[in-house]
Amino acid sequence: MLRKCFTILLAILLLASPVSAFFSFDFSISQNRAVAGATIAAETIADAMVSNYIEENHPEYSDAYTVVSLIFDPTGKIIGKLSSKGLKYADNLYRYLKKADNGKGLVNPDVANKIFDKDLIEKLAEKENKGYGPKTVAKNTVKLLEEGIKPENINKLFKDAVENDKKVGWIDNRIETLEENEVDIDTINDFMEKSSNPYDDLRHLNCKVATLVALGISKDNLNKIIKNSKNIKDIYNCKEDLKKLKKMGITKENLNKIIENLKDIKDITKIRKTIGDLKRRKISKESINKLIENGYDLEKVKEIIKELRNKGVPSKIIDGLIKKEYSLKEISAFNKFK
């Protein structure tokens, strides 16, 4: 009897006083009222022992809420709910996160709160048997934090994964591969912040980066391309333009020089078209590379060549002048065949 009374007292104290818990969710409940600093009561309390207290003090919850699915604010006031399955998942996840963290200090209530909001907890709990067990999720959470991925981005990645039945384990592998290819962690975080489909975009980014590295794009330019692209499509288009330039005979040094001088990453398409036009005017790849090395405006070069051809100067002569590194001023003044 004494033990029962003590348990009931403990239950009442938990409902009426601050609750020490790992997660604190920020979300809205009835009338869209914003709730700040909501915390889960991770302790397990017998429903029967607390049901009377709830009926007497919080009748609005008596029909649909039980103690194991309630969310409390820092003063112990009941303000919302998780499903019983969600709360059980959160409790197990808490234990596994602590174990995976192993004293590193990567996981704390603030970090966990940013990663595991109420919506994500419920989604993970619902699909727990499909590869989203708390042990697996906790292990991958700590790995991603160790890599330097922001909590908000982990939240996005996990939501994308669980909603589309994708494995969370692949996320860390792809980030490791990107870092091996010298993509900065800040660049990866920036990329994911801009992405609406971070899980698949991360996979596509790996493929694009592998191609860019094979083309000889430097670390700085690789990060510039990713950071200055609005989405994965921009990166894909840039990669395709660079591949075409490579086929035109542009050296890797000059591919990098082109990227270095770009103000807008999309301008590379215009440069690729201009170089294609120069080649159609019978300007050799050696001459085009010299023009790039010397920092000439290729669009201006194209106009000068057009004027010279209108004067009757053969492409072979123009190409020869460029190879001999005549200045644009000297080349544009060439009128022997006028």
Side-chain angles (χ1 to χ4, degrees), residues 197-243:
N197 301 290
Y199 188 96
D200 283 339
D201 282 352
L202 197 61
R203 174 171 60 86
H204 293 311
L205 182 62
N206 265 276
C207 297
K208 310 299 175 283
V209 166
T211 301
L212 291 169
V213 170
L215 288 170
I217 303 304
S218 69
K219 174 186 175 180
D220 287 345
N221 285 327
L222 192 60
N223 283 277
K224 179 179 180 178
I225 290 169
I226 299 169
K227 281 192 172 182
N228 286 273
S229 297
K230 291 182 179 178
N231 49 47
I232 193 69
K233 186 177 180 181
D234 282 353
I235 298 171
Y236 170 80
N237 290 337
C238 184
K239 181 261 298 181
E240 288 298 298
D241 282 326
L242 288 168
K243 279 175 64 179

Side-chain angles (χ1 to χ4, degrees), residues 7-58:
T7 306
I8 294 172
L9 178 62
L10 174 63
I12 293 172
L13 286 172
L14 283 169
L15 289 169
S17 61
V19 178
S20 176
F22 191 74
F23 298 102
S24 66
F25 298 112
D26 295 333
F27 63 100
S28 298
I29 56 174
S30 59
Q31 288 85 45
N32 293 319
R33 180 169 59 87
V35 179
T39 53
I40 297 177
E43 291 81 359
T44 302
I45 309 167
D47 290 356
M49 294 181 179
V50 186
S51 60
N52 289 339
Y53 176 85
I54 293 174
E55 288 175 5
E56 291 175 10
N57 296 278
H58 298 283

Side-chain angles (χ1 to χ4, degrees), residues 314-326:
S315 296
K316 188 175 181 179
I317 298 295
I318 299 171
D319 190 60
L321 293 172
I322 296 171
K323 283 180 181 177
K324 291 177 181 177
E325 298 194 5
Y326 278 69

